[in-house]
Amino acid sequence: AQLVPIQLNALALVLCPALALLALLATLANLHVRENGRHMASFVYVASALGVLCSQSWLRFLVFWELMTLMPVVLVWLDGHAGGGAAGYRFLCLQAVGMLLLVSGLALLLQSGGDPAFGSLAAAPPAAQWLMLSGFLMSAAVLPFHAWLPELCSQTSPGGALLPGVVTITSATYALAQTCAGHEALTVLGLATTLYGLVRAAMADELRRLAAWATLAQNGLVVAALGLGTPDALAGAMLLSVGLVLSAALMFMGVGAVVLGTGRGHLHE
């Protein structure tokens, strides 16, 4: 068998080291955790996201994508919070619908003679474009599919909110950049997500929800830039994506340190 080298695009070359650094930070933030299962789930979570970034065919992409969307549920359920079971189940149902949309759109793409290589959907049938766009938007936590992010982050341990709050939406915005850049709906939905996230962050009292809403608002800017589709906008979206990974990681780590150190997780306390 002949080895085929992986050819990464510019965005993947930047995001892969950022996610690797995120994995290191998450490990440091959870050194106090003694359960090996949670550490293994975290490593599989980041590894599957890296697999998404390195995928060159739709089949490989969907395999790693499905694995990546399952890991937040595993982390939430392993944390054992009172509301974690219901939150994980709702997230799992949403991602199942998103996966169904992606598979349906891919079937239409291949049926029309589309390229099985992972890439732009500009030449795909409109129905396939909208189905796959909707599936990616669900994982990117873009309005109106945003509710899972603050709920999931608030139901994890103080140190465990780092990965669900960053990895999934970063991978989803990468998928949008590679497949749907320039789609006019992204600009409208991205700006709406940013405005809504800022308002909810200003109203939030629970620290992990506040960090989640702030992350949501910043990710909305990335999505809006992708919708413009110009070279400058795409370059800006790439820089914003890297900034989102690093700033959100530090924000969730800071929140986790405060909650673990003081035992209090609300602003009014």
Side-chain angles (χ1 to χ4, degrees):
Q2 184 180 2
L3 294 178
V4 179
I6 297 176
Q7 297 178 352
L8 300 181
N9 54 61
L11 182 56
L13 280 173
V14 175
L15 286 180
C16 282
L19 288 182
L21 177 60
L22 179 67
L24 176 61
L25 295 176
T27 302
L28 294 176
N30 289 281
L31 286 177
H32 63 284
V33 177
R34 299 302 179 188
E35 294 87 352
N36 291 331
R38 281 178 56 185
H39 292 292
M40 290 300 298
S42 298
F43 292 142
V44 172
Y45 190 12
V46 177
S48 59
L50 292 175
V52 167
L53 299 183
C54 296
S55 295
Q56 296 177 321
S57 69
W58 279 108
L59 178 59
R60 292 179 183 177
F61 174 85
L62 290 178
V63 170
F64 284 117
W65 182 269
E66 181 65 17
L67 183 60
M68 181 196 68
T69 56
L70 289 176
M71 286 301 105
V73 181
V74 175
L75 287 173
V76 170
W77 286 349
L78 287 175
D79 280 335
H81 284 249
Y89 180 73
R90 284 190 288 270
F91 176 77
L92 192 62
C93 291
L94 179 69
Q95 295 304 315
V97 174
M99 189 65 177
L100 180 61
L101 293 176
L102 290 177
V103 172
S104 300
L106 180 59
L108 290 176
L109 172 66
L110 297 179
Q111 186 180 24
S112 64
D115 191 349
F118 178 71
S120 175
L121 297 174
Q129 291 185 25
W130 280 104
L131 285 172
M132 301 185 80
L133 175 66
S134 300
F136 290 137
L137 290 176
M138 288 183 177
S139 294
V142 174
L143 208 70
F145 311 112
H146 62 282
W148 65 265
L149 181 61
E151 181 183 33
L152 211 63
C153 290
S154 66
Q155 296 301 328
T156 56
S157 62
L162 171 59
L163 291 180
V166 182
V167 175
T168 300
I169 61 172
T170 301
S171 302
T173 51
Y174 168 80
L176 288 172
Q178 296 305 307
T179 60
C180 303
H183 201 293
E184 59 277 3
L186 293 179
T187 301
V188 177
L189 294 175
L191 291 176
T193 301
T194 295
L195 293 175
Y196 186 74
L198 289 174
V199 172
R200 292 302 301 266
M203 298 169 57
D205 182 56
E206 206 274 329
L207 291 177
R208 281 169 292 182
R209 284 185 178 270
L210 189 155
W213 286 118
T215 301
L216 189 79
Q218 188 173 351
N219 191 57
L221 291 177
V222 179
V223 174
L226 293 177
L228 296 177
T230 63
D232 289 341
L234 295 179
M238 180 176 69
L239 293 176
L240 282 172
S241 295
V242 177
L244 171 64
V245 172
L246 300 178
S247 62
L250 294 176
M251 183 165 50
F252 279 106
M253 288 182 69
V255 167
V258 170
V259 175
L260 289 173
T262 65
R264 299 176 179 179
H266 294 79
L267 290 176
H268 73 271
E269 297 175 335

